[in-house]
Amino acid sequence: MSLSPLLDPWLAHPGQERFAVHDAATGVWLADVPENHVNEALAAIEAAKAAQVDWAALTPRERGAILRRWSELLLKHQDELAYLLTREQGKPLAEARGEIAFAASFFEWFAEEGRRVYGEVIPSPSSARRLLTVRQPVGVAAAITPWNFPVSMLARKAAAALAAGCAIVIKPAEQTPLSALAQQSIAHEAGLPPDLFRIVTASRASASEIGEVFCHSPDIGVLSFTGSTRVGKLLLQQSSASVKRLALELGGNAPFIVFDDANLDEAVTAAIQSKFRNAGQTCVSANRILVHNTIFEAFVQRFVAQVERLKVGNGLESSIHIGPLIDKRAVEKVGRLIEEAIARGGAVLTGGKIHALGGSFFEPTVISGVRADMRIFREEIFGPVAPLTVFQDETEAIALANDSEAGLAAYVFTNTVSRAIRVSEALHYGMVGINEIAISTAEAPFGGVRQSGLGREGARAGIEEYLDIKLLCLGGL
Ligand code: ADP
């Protein structure tokens, strides 16, 4: 039986070089998709370059109409896409449905935002000259997308690029190419002219050669990447020869600070949601939970009790909170971080090992006694493990929170307004959730400082990555 009719046109043909995609929960084979190399990537860029000229000549309203249809179609196919997503990625079906809706919101937002790409008339220093600026699409954009939010991260990039008048060529993560390929069918159904949105699938072994094409090609105006800091740095290096513009959304190491004046129940519930959504595999997951000493015991008691109620299993089953990790490599990394923390004095309060279900399922875990010199404090965990650290006062909380090379999201829970403002301003992070963890929405700028990346996605700012400012200097007046 076909996994999804949306997928059928894009699977590997007989005899074509291919790689396999597996179910994240069961390991069962799902499909074979084309293994692409340098030549296919170059051909996709060439086709995109030719198609982009007519696309840029449309009015923003005309482009917006297609993007709005795309948004509607994502919702129309929500169940089918969520099913694919849960199978290849592992997240519970309810979260997968949420991700499809989130993806749709970017097409809806940028369909409108494209109409607000304004230029300027600048007062000239000379009466014989006039100064005008226009903002034009950079041409063809390239994107490399991750496996943790394969539908919405692709949407956040593609919607902005297409709204700006660019074409886009995308290499999805090797673990999750199916939901990306399905969107090619959605694009066609929405009426997008062919070649403007091209998915170039590749296994891990070929990812680097496709990445090199994107970095070196003179026809790529911008490369937008979401993924690990390690690969982000590599792309930055590779792009120096062509002076490629890069938009990078890299790893986080989010502090989640709970002060003694916070609403404890709300803070506990928020910490659970932030930590365990997508099995902890998000770049804005609470990575270090910092709790005021006077409420530490009360927080721990409630937190552990709630963690022990979380249900682990195949995301296709109902009432599952935590699916599998993406693969064995992820499980091994989480295991190593826990081992090191225990060896250095950390205490496992619940969980701590591979789940009885086996595969890449991991027990939801809480570790207390975590210190700033442990790897689990310094590295992005990307798993269902909550490290707890006690702090004595506001100054120490800020110092601990800022003790990281990453700077994506941070969270502060307090009911004192002055403290909320003071601490938020002192945090070296691109986004601060104050008594709130749902910080990511199409309307708001998403991105980090320090080693968490360059640029912003979503919001007004998100379309800027795909535009150049051009000055028109008119003389002889
Ligand atoms: P993870 O290690 O969590 O899989 P990555 O940063 O490696 O995160 O993956 C994010 C994306 O980067 C995926 O699409 C992956 O295929 C891609 N990728 C991995 N290595 C490279 C590379 N050397 N060049 C270009 N892309 C790469």
Side-chain angles (χ1 to χ4, degrees):
M1 195 193 85
S2 158
L3 269 177
S4 158
L6 293 172
L7 203 54
D8 289 344
W10 316 109
L11 298 176
H13 306 303
Q16 193 177 13
E17 200 184 340
R18 62 191 56 210
F19 67 99
V21 184
H22 297 101
D23 183 301
T26 62
V28 161
W29 173 90
L30 290 178
D32 282 342
V33 301
E35 173 79 308
N36 290 297
H37 295 286
V38 170
N39 284 344
E40 289 84 4
L42 288 171
I45 294 169
E46 200 57 39
K49 187 181 169 188
Q52 189 265 338
V53 177
D54 288 343
W55 179 244
L58 293 181
T59 65
R61 196 158 184 266
E62 287 166 330
R63 290 197 294 267
I66 290 172
L67 299 182
R68 201 169 306 106
R69 269 205 298 281
W70 192 326
S71 171
E72 289 160 5
L73 286 168
L74 283 170
L75 296 175
K76 182 180 148 202
H77 293 288
Q78 188 174 19
D79 288 338
E80 195 174 344
L81 288 164
Y83 172 79
L84 265 185
L85 179 53
T86 293
R87 294 217 59 186
E88 66 176 353
Q89 201 275 342
K91 66 182 62 183
L93 210 43
E95 284 187 31
R97 287 176 55 84
E99 183 177 340
I100 308 304
F102 187 44
S105 76
F106 287 108
F107 284 99
E108 186 194 31
W109 170 259
F110 283 113
E112 288 300 321
E113 211 45 30
R115 298 169 71 182
R116 291 186 274 273
V117 176
Y118 302 125
E120 279 185 311
V121 180
I122 300 167
S124 169
S126 156
S127 55
R129 272 181 277 153
R130 296 292 180 271
L131 303 175
L132 320 170
T133 65
V134 290
R135 284 148 84 219
Q136 294 182 309
V138 298
V140 182
I144 298 176
T145 53
W147 50 261
N148 61 342
F149 290 92
V151 181
S152 57
M153 295 303 96
L154 183 152
R156 193 154 72 179
K157 297 179 195 307
L162 292 166
C166 294
I168 188 164
V169 179
I170 302 175
K171 193 206 79 63
E174 58 277 8
Q175 300 94 331
T176 56
L178 302 181
S179 53
L181 289 170
Q183 284 215 65
Q184 281 191 152
S185 294
I186 304 264
H188 289 193
E189 200 179 335
L192 189 79
D195 297 330
L196 287 166
F197 173 78
R198 291 280 296 261
I199 302 294
V200 180
T201 48
S203 72
R204 188 73 171 191
S206 309
S208 56
E209 58 181 278
I210 308 283
E212 281 175 31
V213 170
F214 288 172
C215 291
H216 296 153
S217 166
D219 293 323
I220 296 293
V222 61
L223 168 58
S224 178
F225 170 75
T226 299
S228 63
T229 307
R230 183 186 64 81
V231 175
K233 287 178 180 177
L234 180 74
L235 297 173
L236 205 51
Q237 237 167 22
Q238 284 175 188
S239 294
S240 68
S242 64
V243 195
K244 186 80 58 214
R245 188 195 297 185
L246 288 177
L248 300 176
E249 207 270 90
L250 309 179
N253 183 0
F256 187 105
I257 312 173
V258 189
F259 284 102
D260 55 1
D261 55 7
N263 179 318
L264 201 55
D265 285 329
E266 284 175 15
V268 167
T269 304
I272 299 271
Q273 286 169 355
S274 171
K275 178 71 253 181
F276 295 101
R277 185 170 66 107
N278 203 12
Q281 303 171 112
T282 98
C283 49
V284 295
S285 291
N287 208 56
R288 299 170 291 152
I289 301 179
L290 313 175
V291 186
H292 217 145
N293 60 344
T294 55
I295 53 158
F296 188 73
E297 286 312 318
F299 181 91
V300 168
Q301 226 173 38
R302 293 177 208 205
F303 187 72
V304 171
Q306 280 203 36
V307 171
E308 286 177 343
R309 282 202 290 273
L310 295 173
K311 232 173 116 187
V312 177
N314 187 326
L316 291 179
E317 291 165 20
S318 60
S319 73
I320 290 298
H321 302 107
I322 302 182
L325 296 189
I326 190 69
D327 52 28
K328 291 274 165 50
R329 201 158 56 103
V331 174
E332 284 160 17
K333 179 188 169 194
V334 168
R336 274 199 306 274
L337 290 177
I338 294 175
E339 257 172 49
E340 197 248 15
I342 296 171
R344 308 191 64 183
V348 173
L349 304 184
T350 187
K353 52 187 192 307
I354 292 172
H355 195 274
L357 287 169
S360 49
F361 291 96
F362 204 90
E363 292 177 344
T365 298
V366 182
I367 302 190
S368 73
V370 169
R371 292 188 318 268
D373 60 354
M374 294 178 179
R375 277 183 59 198
I376 205 161
F377 186 97
R378 312 214 68 80
E379 293 179 24
E380 195 174 28
I381 302 167
F382 249 56
V385 182
L388 303 178
T389 302
V390 186
F391 67 83
Q392 310 297 326
D393 57 26
E394 195 177 301
T395 308
E396 189 189 6
I398 293 169
L400 282 167
N402 283 339
D403 185 7
S404 167
E405 286 171 346
L408 195 58
Y411 307 93
V412 182
F413 280 71
T414 173
N415 276 329
T416 308
V417 175
S418 53
R419 169 176 274 164
I421 300 285
R422 220 170 29 239
V423 174
S424 303
E425 287 180 356
L427 290 172
H428 300 155
Y429 286 82
M431 301 172 283
V432 181
I434 305 167
N435 299 325
E436 180 60 67
I437 55 145
I439 54 175
S440 186
T441 160
E443 293 82 354
F446 189 100
V449 299
R450 301 194 284 189
Q451 293 194 19
S452 286
L454 299 171
R456 292 293 179 272
E457 293 196 280
R460 249 186 328 184
I463 202 164
E464 302 295 341
E465 311 287 358
Y466 302 94
L467 294 167
D468 283 324
I469 295 176
K470 182 183 282 176
L471 169 69
L472 309 182
C473 178
L474 182 71
L477 282 126

